[in-house]
Amino acid sequence: MAISESPEILGSTATVISTSHSDSDLDLLSLRRRTTNATNGAGIRAPDNSGNGEAVDYQDRVESANFTSNVGEKANEIPTSSDIRFTYRPCVPAHRRIKESPLSSDAIFKQSHAGLFNLCVVVLVAVNSRLIIENLMKYGWLIRSGFWFSSRSLSDWPLFMCCLTLPIFPLAAFVVEKLVQQNYITEPVVVFLHVIISTTVVLYPVIVILRCDSAFLSGVALMLFACIVWLKLVSYAHTNNDMRALAKSPEKRGADHMHDVSFKSLVYFMVAPTLCYQPSYPRTPAVRKSWVVRQSIKLIIFTGLMGFIIEQYINPIVQNSQHPLKGNLLYAIERVLKLSVPNLYVWLCMFYCFFHLWLNILAELLRFGDREFYKDWWNAKTVEEYWRMWNMPVHKWMVRHIYFPCLRNGIPKGVAVIIAFLVSALFHELCIAVPCHIFKLWAFIGIMFQVPLVLITNYLQNKFRSSMGKKGVEVIYWLFDSENVRTLGGLL
């Protein structure tokens, strides 16, 4: 296309005209200036400063549209060929405004980086494809059928039987609530029985795992299931206790706090994807069967991807490595960094499989309405924000049954936060140390190490918020990301 035929060039270069032009030219420019506001409201929408990189050239587009519109209105008076006189004339200024380079410190966080993100995705795919090919050429296909099922799995039947007997404890908790509802037992007795039930539901699997030579994955699955049952039973007992207190209180708010122990509501709560008990939940109108099938296929694919990464990458690196604390320091750093990438991939696949796919599948089958199982933790600016967003079921349980009860009992906020992290650290240690039969408190120390990280990242956020902006603080957070620190610590 010839340069004179481009409407963008035609309009954008006629914004500044020398005063030596003819009267018809001046009349044309005057008409253009008088109709600027009208044209702006009709044809061009003002930019919303959303970061798409176009706000700087907004005035140019407005002037181009105005000039083009005015030329069209006076088409009968001025021939189209005369418009060439205003196109890139040497006397027209090429620089009319102060502008920043897109990558300057003042403008880099005010625009979209979608193109750079796409480039990073392409580079990531290319690099990992090369690593996969290199790994297959070096080690061959390492995945065996024993990864999914082996003869040793048959020896885990005591763990399976223990898992099947765990529903006895929610039934016992229901019986206790029914007895107190009928005034057969007092409140102190109710508290004592619930403590016995909830403590037994954790100690029973621990004893079974320690007495059996079970596989690691089987032990982890049983301990996770036992911890979930414990959290649900605590919520069930605490919520019913609070509902009884409100029902007896003179400040109760009508039927909202009517205490009714229902076995049906308990059964739904025990299988629902939540840790916080309430008599009823928001429900969806129907089950989308085709959606469940699609999500189930994704779950199978990403579970297989996790197994592939573990067997094909992580295990060979670990088996061919020395102990990181007994060899050369540079060698240890190289091993840790080499393991950090596949460990990160496994963790991301685990998060996607469990928190997005599995919990949403379970919620769809049960028509469970509240599906905020996680928030955008990848945009967290501090470690504190990360812990509030990455695991919403546990976060809601902590806030409801530990944090605010501590505050209501006069415990300072900082101490309440430490208590919440202490409970989390204990259960992380149980889920790792018991299946491994190794009690060295690595998981416990890794979680409690998050407390000083919370203080550090909060300080850095307050210090650099004004100078670096939101995205700059997010970069600082990722340097101190709890999962990164915990993964590297676990490798050691």
Side-chain angles (χ1 to χ4, degrees):
M1 178 184 293
I3 188 171
S4 60
E5 296 175 352
S6 173
E8 178 182 357
I9 296 176
L10 178 65
S12 64
T13 58
T15 57
V16 180
I17 304 298
S18 174
T19 56
S20 62
H21 291 305
S22 61
D23 294 338
S24 61
D25 295 344
L26 295 177
D27 293 340
L28 178 60
L29 293 176
S30 300
L31 177 62
R32 176 181 60 79
R33 294 190 181 96
R34 287 197 302 270
T35 57
T36 295
N37 294 334
T39 307
N40 181 35
I44 296 181
R45 179 171 57 89
D48 56 358
N49 295 328
S50 59
N52 58 6
E54 298 180 356
V56 180
D57 297 327
Y58 168 65
Q59 187 63 30
D60 291 341
R61 297 201 307 274
V62 171
E63 293 175 355
S64 300
N66 292 338
F67 180 72
T68 305
S69 175
N70 293 332
V71 169
E73 294 175 359
K74 298 174 68 67
N76 296 329
E77 303 177 15
I78 303 178
T80 305
S81 60
S82 66
D83 298 338
I84 302 176
R85 294 177 298 173
F86 308 109
T87 304
Y88 270 99
R89 297 189 63 136
C91 63
V92 176
H95 308 282
R96 297 180 297 272
R97 230 171 346 270
I98 298 175
K99 300 179 182 179
E100 292 288 344
S101 298
L103 296 180
S104 63
S105 58
D106 294 334
I108 189 171
F109 295 131
K110 298 180 181 179
Q111 57 184 310
S112 173
H113 299 88
L116 292 176
F117 175 77
N118 294 335
L119 176 62
C120 292
V121 171
V122 172
V123 173
L124 188 66
V125 171
V127 171
N128 284 275
S129 299
R130 185 194 67 81
L131 292 176
I132 292 175
I133 296 174
E134 181 183 2
N135 180 273
L136 292 175
M137 294 175 60
K138 184 177 181 180
Y139 298 106
W141 185 260
L142 299 178
I143 298 179
R144 302 290 182 265
S145 59
F147 176 79
W148 307 102
F149 181 81
S150 64
S151 58
R152 187 183 178 186
S153 301
L154 299 176
S155 63
D156 294 338
W157 68 268
L159 277 67
F160 181 70
M161 296 303 298
C162 176
C163 186
L164 292 180
T165 56
L166 287 181
I168 296 176
F169 298 97
L171 180 61
F174 172 76
V175 172
V176 171
E177 290 297 327
K178 272 296 184 182
L179 291 176
V180 70
Q181 186 184 30
Q182 301 297 327
N183 295 323
Y184 290 133
I185 55 178
T186 60
E187 286 294 335
V189 176
V190 173
V191 174
F192 175 76
L193 292 177
H194 277 305
V195 169
I196 295 298
I197 294 172
S198 58
T199 303
T200 307
V201 80
V202 174
L203 293 181
Y204 172 43
V206 170
I207 295 174
V208 172
I209 294 174
L210 293 179
R211 291 177 63 89
C212 300
D213 186 18
S214 60
F216 172 73
L217 290 179
S218 301
V220 170
L222 178 58
M223 284 307 307
L224 285 175
F225 186 51
C227 291
I228 291 173
V229 174
W230 185 88
L231 294 171
K232 285 176 176 282
L233 290 180
V234 170
S235 179
Y236 181 72
H238 196 182
T239 302
N240 279 309
N241 179 271
D242 191 51
M243 293 176 68
R244 286 194 301 271
L246 286 174
K248 299 176 183 178
S249 173
E251 300 177 358
K252 61 183 179 180
R253 302 176 183 178
D256 292 340
H257 297 123
M258 294 296 295
H259 183 227
D260 183 24
V261 180
S262 170
F263 183 73
K264 182 179 179 180
S265 63
L266 173 62
V267 172
Y268 184 85
F269 166 63
M270 295 306 298
V271 296
T274 180
L275 300 176
C276 296
Y277 173 75
Q278 57 192 60
S280 61
Y281 296 91
R283 306 286 292 275
T284 56
V287 177
R288 299 171 293 176
K289 297 180 181 178
S290 59
W291 185 90
V292 172
V293 172
R294 291 196 302 270
Q295 302 305 309
S296 300
I297 294 174
K298 292 180 183 179
L299 181 61
I300 295 173
I301 293 174
F302 279 91
T303 303
L305 180 60
M306 277 195 298
F308 174 80
I309 296 174
I310 293 173
E311 285 290 286
Q312 199 73 29
Y313 286 90
I314 297 180
N315 284 349
I317 296 175
V318 173
Q319 293 171 2
N320 298 332
S321 301
Q322 303 174 0
H323 194 285
L325 298 181
K326 296 181 180 179
N328 184 272
L329 178 60
L330 291 178
Y331 175 82
I333 295 176
E334 187 271 336
R335 292 286 96 180
V336 169
L337 293 178
K338 191 172 184 178
L339 277 171
S340 62
V341 175
N343 269 278
L344 177 62
Y345 289 163
V346 169
W347 187 89
L348 291 175
C349 289
M350 180 277 299
F351 172 83
Y352 184 72
C353 287
F354 184 77
F355 286 95
H356 182 74
L357 295 176
W358 169 246
L359 292 183
N360 273 285
I361 291 173
L362 186 60
E364 186 69 25
L365 294 175
L366 297 173
R367 295 169 49 211
F368 187 80
D370 186 4
R371 303 183 185 183
E372 190 184 46
F373 304 121
Y374 58 91
K375 292 184 179 180
D376 56 336
W377 53 265
W378 46 88
N379 291 327
K381 298 182 288 295
T382 64
V383 174
E384 183 180 7
E385 285 190 10
Y386 166 80
W387 282 106
R388 291 203 305 262
M389 295 191 296
W390 94 275
N391 188 342
M392 292 306 297
V394 172
H395 170 70
K396 292 177 181 178
W397 187 92
M398 289 284 185
V399 170
R400 194 182 191 214
H401 300 293
I402 292 184
Y403 183 74
F404 277 104
C406 289
L407 296 184
R408 282 192 290 268
N409 285 276
I411 298 177
K413 179 181 177 180
V415 178
V417 171
I418 294 176
I419 293 175
F421 273 103
L422 182 64
V423 174
S424 177
L426 288 174
F427 280 96
H428 276 79
E429 182 67 24
L430 282 176
C431 292
I432 299 299
V434 174
C436 293
H437 298 248
I438 299 174
F439 298 91
K440 293 186 177 181
L441 301 179
W442 288 115
F444 181 85
I445 295 173
I447 296 300
M448 294 307 297
F449 185 66
Q450 307 306 308
V451 177
L453 284 182
V454 168
L455 301 177
I456 293 173
T457 52
N458 286 342
Y459 169 77
L460 293 176
Q461 181 194 22
N462 296 329
K463 183 176 180 62
F464 297 105
R465 178 185 298 170
S466 58
S467 59
M468 299 186 63
K470 176 182 176 181
K471 293 186 180 295
V473 176
E474 289 175 5
V475 173
I476 294 176
Y477 157 73
W478 277 105
L479 295 177
F480 292 93
D481 177 33
S482 59
E483 288 301 325
N484 294 335
V485 175
R486 201 165 65 192
T487 300
L488 295 177
L491 294 174
L492 294 174

